[in-house]
Amino acid sequence: MSTSVAPLEMVDTDRYPLTDPDGPAWREVVRRTRAELAGAGCSVLADFVRPELREVLRAECAALEPHAYTKVERVNAYNTAIDEPLPEDHPGRTILERGNAFVARDRVPPSAIIARLYTSPVFRRFVADCFGLPELHELADPLSGLTLNVIAPGRAHPWHFDTNEFTVSMLTQAADGGGTFEYCPNIRSATDENFAAVRSVLAGDTGPVRRLDLRPGDLQLFKGRFALHRVSTVEGAIARHSAIFAYSERPGVIGSAERTRQLFGRVLPAHLAGRSVRGDELLD
């Protein structure tokens, strides 16, 4: 299923005035979003996609699930080598299982709602403004710029930090149960890893943990570099789907061949051309 709806027509512009960049309503939404990001490191723009298009959004992304590359791995919260020597009490010694999968950008039709949003200059400008950035660019990477994250029943995306400071995502299909986004805002800083607090959460401490009740069509803006976060185990028979919109503060970003192969099981000539850079814009 696909739609010919123009990018701005997909958005509830009564609530999110993308038709009036820099207008008073735009500035108010941006002000509110920036305040939430500053306070909690996360802002959810509920019902960003118009209600009448949510089933189209779900169906388009559900049709992509067979293209997901799945690789179940043993990881730690820092995505460092799990056999690296670490002190006994280091939280990186806690081993977790990651079973989420990714659909690469070249499997997403340009006509899909998530693709039209991702490539919309106005949407990109709005996101940049919400994060207080002068501009953002689409990734030049042919696989990782826009992806669909798939978490199958019985699987989870375990506790981790993002390598990039900001993440933009949209739930497109909710699970029957579980699949809850959980995070610990500002549990570490640029100058303090706060290993004790991280270790406590990994051991089961729920005190610092916040939970989000995301719905399909909600746009989530998140500062994941300093927030430990996860998606809990998906329950029931339906996979959890989430679109990841990856942008960069500089143009021309392409992920490394090693990381690309890990995420998608393949690489393209662009990844082997010798101009790859590590992608802060990748999910983890």
Side-chain angles (χ1 to χ4, degrees):
M1 177 181 285
S2 63
T3 178
S4 60
V5 177
L8 293 181
E9 293 174 351
M10 301 169 186
V11 178
D12 185 346
T13 50
D14 290 336
R15 300 182 65 178
Y16 306 108
L18 271 64
T19 52
D20 185 22
D22 296 325
W26 169 296
R27 291 197 297 270
E28 173 55 26
V29 172
V30 167
R31 183 203 62 77
R32 185 170 65 246
T33 303
R34 286 183 180 182
E36 292 175 350
L37 286 168
C42 184
S43 180
V44 177
L45 283 65
D47 301 322
F48 193 79
V49 171
R50 292 184 180 278
E52 62 269 24
L53 291 175
R54 286 182 206 147
E55 175 54 26
V56 177
L57 174 71
R58 187 207 65 77
E60 286 179 343
C61 292
L64 301 176
E65 183 176 342
H67 297 296
Y69 173 71
T70 303
K71 184 179 181 182
V72 178
E73 299 177 281
R74 298 174 72 240
V75 298
N76 62 29
Y78 302 94
N79 288 300
T80 57
I82 60 175
D83 57 354
E84 179 183 353
L86 295 171
E88 280 293 329
D89 62 346
H90 195 291
R93 292 176 65 92
T94 300
I95 306 304
L96 310 163
E97 184 176 273
R98 181 171 64 196
N100 56 320
F102 290 93
V103 177
R105 181 179 184 178
D106 65 351
R107 304 299 193 195
V108 181
S111 60
I113 287 176
I114 59 172
R116 289 172 175 265
L117 277 175
Y118 179 68
T119 58
S120 166
V122 174
F123 177 71
R124 189 168 65 248
R125 180 180 174 186
F126 173 73
V127 170
D129 208 1
C130 286
F131 280 111
L133 301 171
E135 62 179 349
L136 287 173
H137 302 270
E138 291 182 37
L139 266 61
D141 194 302
L143 299 184
S144 67
L146 169 68
T147 62
L148 184 74
N149 182 234
V150 176
I151 307 180
R155 298 297 185 189
H157 193 177
W159 290 115
H160 66 284
F161 293 98
D162 291 343
T163 56
N164 55 303
E165 187 170 343
F166 60 88
T167 304
V168 184
S169 63
M170 177 179 288
L171 189 71
T172 66
Q173 178 173 281
D176 287 331
T180 302
F181 184 84
E182 303 179 344
Y183 70 109
C184 306
N186 301 313
I187 197 169
R188 69 175 182 176
S189 70
T191 58
D192 183 7
E193 284 281 6
N194 200 6
F195 286 138
V198 173
R199 183 173 61 248
S200 180
V201 171
L202 296 178
D205 179 14
T206 60
V209 179
R210 300 189 185 187
R211 296 171 178 82
L212 292 182
D213 183 21
L214 296 169
R215 298 175 299 174
D218 291 352
L219 182 68
Q220 181 184 5
L221 306 183
F222 180 57
K223 291 187 174 182
R225 185 162 181 79
F226 306 122
L228 186 68
H229 55 286
R230 71 175 179 179
V231 177
S232 66
T233 301
V234 168
E235 302 168 358
I238 299 175
R240 181 189 192 270
H241 297 164
S242 182
I244 311 296
F245 305 90
Y247 296 109
S248 173
E249 293 180 65
R250 64 189 187 280
V253 169
I254 297 176
S256 69
E258 179 182 1
R259 185 60 176 144
T260 300
R261 189 176 285 108
Q262 183 184 40
L263 290 174
F264 306 111
R266 58 193 170 101
V267 295
L268 297 178
H271 302 104
L272 303 173
R275 58 191 180 95
S276 297
V277 299
R278 177 171 176 79
D280 278 354
E281 300 74 24
L282 296 176
L283 178 64
D284 56 6

